[in-house]
Amino acid sequence: MKILDKYLLKTFLLTFTTVFVILFFIFILQTVWLFIAELAGKDLDLILVVKFLLFSMPRIIPLVLPLSVLLASIMTFGNLAENYEFAAMKASGISLQRAMRSLIVFICFLSILAFFFANNVIPYAEYKFINFRKSIAQAKPAMAIAEGQFSDVGFYNIKVNKKSGPNGNNLTGVTIHEKANNSGENKTVIKSKTGELISNDKSSILQLVLNDGYYYQDVTPKKYEDRSKMPFIKGAFKKQIINIDLSELNKVDDSQDIGNTNGMLNASELRYTLDSLTKNLDSEILSFSENINQKVGIAKGLPTIKLDKKKKPLPNDLLSLYTNDKKAEILKVASSNLTSTMYSIDSTKNELKEKQRNINRHLTALYEKFVIAFACFLMFFIGAPLGAIIRKGGLGLPIVFAVLIFITFHFINTFGKRISQEDGLTPFMGAWMSTFILTPLAVLLTYRATNDIGLISMDAVLAPLNKLFKKFSERFISSQNKT
């Protein structure tokens, strides 16, 4: 039996490695395509590009690993069934579960490794990836300015004829246009013979030092008839310094990544953060409820009236006890208090909802570390029996089944996370929804493959149709005989 286990393990590992490398390369190309705007045309050297890709690679693993296990399982067991190797195993008394034993041990090891990777490597890589995207400009500030064309840099459009120096910081033939104001006009143009970009690792401000230049500033006369003359101011300078914010120099749209810092935390850090966030939310709810109760319960500034206990009880319409002037004052104060209270409730409600969403995101990130580990198990127990049932190996039919199943898994997973973040579901149900839905499919396929039932029992489908057809035929013949 050891020979068979070695053979199955070797076949699966070879297929799994090949599929994993191919899919990983495809997803890397997708990453490059998504961030092509941050890489193309910015004179980045090979080291920076390689760092960018290395930091982005670990986030691909949760997608590539389950899909690789699924496809490798279908292809391996499909080849064994297609070549009648499974038939030989069953003839020798070896069941499907026994044939899967060595692979189950490997999948257990792979699941533990996947959890370790999701808990330690991915958070570190996510942290480095986001900070690297933010600090690319600081590492090479001249990258955002291309030669021979205008580049959008903060509040300016900058064009240089030539860049030189080790990092391209020395500029020749600099032309700067300030961005248009509210009226859509460019008011200031600056030209200089040379320039230099100076950055500091400890500062977020980039200095653009211009030498030997002129500036032109348009002037808008108060009289309309003088505007056709297009007056302007011209000035010369030997040295001028323009400060540019580095965040504007290489601005990237990563608001979602920055907001979701939960992706940078491991399981223990997530639990600690969740404890702090939950306590903070509970304390804010308690504090707000006490403030509202005090605000509503104590009516300051309202006129009062003294009533004698011996007199009749208060009427239903309390305003009838006051004069018209006091009635107007009471209604004005009440309306003001109501508006203020409703505004406070609405604003606090939105703040509390956002904090609850943040807690849900952290909970989802915590559960996802376990979901990826179980997903390897799930995809194996779907792919292995499915391959034995369809009896097709290679890259044809297995890819079709693998893509359909994985798209379903990924769609349900994304859908569940979105709903849970909006408090439509608990974060636990949202993160594990895809697993709960596809686990019965894995059990069903394993049962049918073990008992050689096949993917679909045609007898179960055709038998009711045959009975129905016979009934219609008998009725039709009987009606014909009567006529």
Side-chain angles (χ1 to χ4, degrees), residues 3 88 114 141 173-174 178 251 300 369 400 406 471:
I3 297 175
V174 183
E178 283 192 3
K251 195 171 184 179
K300 296 182 179 179
K369 300 181 185 302
V400 175
F406 185 76
K471 287 182 180 180

Side-chain angles (χ1 to χ4, degrees), residues 262 265 270 273-274 277 358-366:
N262 49 76
L265 306 177
L270 282 170
T273 306
L274 280 168
L277 291 175
N358 191 26
I359 292 175
N360 292 341
R361 285 194 293 265
H362 281 74
L363 283 171
T364 303
L366 177 61

Side-chain angles (χ1 to χ4, degrees), residues 240-429:
Q240 183 173 348
I241 299 176
I242 298 177
N243 294 323
I244 302 174
D245 190 353
L246 281 176
S247 61
E248 296 295 333
L249 177 62
N250 188 37
K251 195 171 184 179
V252 293
D253 186 14
D254 57 358
S255 56
Q256 184 177 1
D257 293 334
I258 295 298
N260 297 337
T261 55
N262 49 76
M264 308 177 193
L265 306 177
N266 57 32
S268 60
E269 292 170 342
L270 282 170
R271 291 192 182 97
Y272 179 81
T273 306
L274 280 168
D275 184 63
S276 301
L277 291 175
T278 304
K279 288 181 179 179
N280 179 264
L281 179 63
D282 293 340
S283 63
E284 284 208 17
I285 292 174
L286 181 62
S287 175
F288 177 71
S289 61
E290 291 176 353
N291 291 336
I292 287 297
N293 289 336
Q294 292 178 0
K295 191 173 183 178
V296 174
I298 300 177
K300 296 182 179 179
L302 292 176
T304 58
I305 184 171
K306 295 182 179 181
L307 297 174
D308 192 348
K309 296 181 179 179
K310 297 181 180 179
K311 291 185 178 180
K312 295 181 180 180
L314 293 174
N316 294 329
D317 186 9
L318 293 177
L319 291 177
S320 61
L321 300 175
Y322 299 96
T323 62
N324 291 334
D325 293 338
K326 290 183 178 180
K327 286 181 182 180
E329 184 181 354
I330 291 172
L331 293 176
K332 184 177 180 180
V333 172
S335 176
S336 176
N337 287 339
L338 179 62
T339 302
S340 175
T341 302
M342 291 302 297
Y343 177 79
S344 178
I345 290 174
D346 289 338
S347 60
T348 307
K349 182 180 178 181
N350 293 331
E351 292 178 3
L352 295 178
K353 279 185 176 180
E354 186 56 37
K355 291 190 175 183
Q356 185 61 50
R357 290 192 190 101
N358 191 26
I359 292 175
N360 292 341
R361 285 194 293 265
H362 281 74
L363 283 171
T364 303
L366 177 61
Y367 295 136
E368 278 183 337
K369 300 181 185 302
F370 299 92
V371 170
I372 182 178
F374 189 79
C376 296
F377 260 108
L378 181 64
M379 293 302 160
F380 176 75
F381 281 99
I382 290 177
L386 183 61
I389 290 172
I390 63 176
R391 299 179 181 180
K392 290 289 183 181
L395 296 174
L397 193 59
I399 287 184
V400 175
F401 278 103
V403 169
L404 289 176
I405 293 171
F406 185 76
I407 286 176
T408 303
F409 174 82
H410 185 63
F411 174 78
I412 297 173
N413 191 28
T414 304
F415 179 74
K417 287 191 293 185
R418 295 294 183 186
I419 292 181
S420 65
Q421 288 176 7
E422 298 297 330
D423 242 8
L425 283 174
T426 61
F428 178 82
M429 286 298 299

Side-chain angles (χ1 to χ4, degrees), residues 78-139:
N79 280 325
L80 293 174
E82 187 178 15
N83 297 327
Y84 298 101
E85 292 176 280
F86 260 132
M89 292 180 196
K90 291 179 181 178
S92 302
I94 301 173
S95 63
L96 178 64
Q97 288 85 350
R98 176 61 188 87
M100 294 167 58
R101 184 180 299 177
S102 60
L103 297 181
I104 291 175
V105 175
F106 171 73
I107 294 299
C108 290
F109 172 76
L110 187 65
S111 298
I112 295 172
L113 185 63
F115 174 78
F116 174 81
F117 194 87
N119 189 47
N120 296 280
V121 179
I122 293 180
Y124 175 76
E126 192 74 11
Y127 171 79
K128 298 293 288 184
F129 178 72
I130 292 177
N131 283 277
F132 182 74
R133 290 174 64 193
K134 281 294 186 182
S135 63
I136 279 181
Q138 205 159 353

Side-chain angles (χ1 to χ4, degrees), residues 45-273:
D45 53 31
L46 183 61
I47 296 177
L48 289 177
V49 174
V50 170
K51 283 185 178 180
F52 186 91
L53 294 177
L54 284 176
F55 292 147
S56 64
M57 282 180 183
R59 59 164 53 189
I60 302 173
I61 299 298
L63 291 174
V64 176
L65 190 60
L67 180 56
S68 300
V69 172
L70 176 63
L71 186 54
S73 302
I74 297 176
M75 292 176 63
T76 301
F77 285 84
N79 280 325
L80 293 174
E82 187 178 15
N83 297 327
Y84 298 101
E85 292 176 280
F86 260 132
M89 292 180 196
K90 291 179 181 178
S92 302
I94 301 173
S95 63
L96 178 64
Q97 288 85 350
R98 176 61 188 87
M100 294 167 58
R101 184 180 299 177
S102 60
L103 297 181
I104 291 175
V105 175
F106 171 73
I107 294 299
C108 290
F109 172 76
L110 187 65
S111 298
I112 295 172
L113 185 63
F115 174 78
F116 174 81
F117 194 87
N119 189 47
N120 296 280
V121 179
I122 293 180
Y124 175 76
E126 192 74 11
Y127 171 79
K128 298 293 288 184
F129 178 72
I130 292 177
N131 283 277
F132 182 74
R133 290 174 64 193
K134 281 294 186 182
S135 63
I136 279 181
Q138 205 159 353
K140 193 172 182 181
M143 68 175 188
I145 303 175
E147 292 183 356
Q149 65 183 37
F150 280 98
S151 302
D152 187 4
V153 181
F155 297 103
Y156 306 95
N157 288 315
I158 302 177
K159 175 185 176 183
V160 297
N161 295 333
K162 186 179 180 180
K163 295 191 297 183
S164 59
N167 293 321
N169 288 9
N170 298 326
L171 312 177
T172 304
V174 183
T175 303
I176 300 176
H177 289 185
E178 283 192 3
K179 286 188 177 179
N181 54 20
N182 295 332
S183 60
E185 298 177 347
N186 271 325
K187 290 293 186 180
T188 304
V189 178
I190 303 174
K191 288 189 174 185
S192 69
K193 294 181 179 180
T194 60
E196 183 182 4
L197 290 170
I198 302 175
S199 61
N200 189 345
D201 294 340
K202 298 181 180 179
S203 175
S204 61
I205 300 299
L206 176 73
Q207 287 187 340
L208 174 57
V209 181
L210 303 175
N211 302 311
D212 297 328
Y214 298 88
Y215 71 89
Y216 308 86
Q217 186 173 5
D218 293 335
V219 178
T220 303
K222 294 182 179 180
K223 295 183 178 180
Y224 183 79
E225 56 271 14
D226 293 336
R227 295 183 182 180
S228 60
K229 299 178 182 179
M230 299 182 180
F232 65 91
I233 299 174
K234 178 181 178 181
F237 59 86
K238 287 292 182 180
K239 183 177 180 180
Q240 183 173 348
I241 299 176
I242 298 177
N243 294 323
I244 302 174
D245 190 353
L246 281 176
S247 61
E248 296 295 333
L249 177 62
N250 188 37
K251 195 171 184 179
V252 293
D253 186 14
D254 57 358
S255 56
Q256 184 177 1
D257 293 334
I258 295 298
N260 297 337
T261 55
N262 49 76
M264 308 177 193
L265 306 177
N266 57 32
S268 60
E269 292 170 342
L270 282 170
R271 291 192 182 97
Y272 179 81
T273 306

Side-chain angles (χ1 to χ4, degrees), residues 13-27 57 60-69 71-72 110 117:
L13 285 177
L14 182 61
T15 307
F16 173 77
T17 305
T18 305
V19 170
F20 182 84
V21 171
I22 294 173
L23 292 177
F24 196 81
F25 179 73
I26 293 173
F27 279 89
M57 282 180 183
I60 302 173
I61 299 298
L63 291 174
V64 176
L65 190 60
L67 180 56
S68 300
V69 172
L71 186 54
L110 187 65
F117 194 87

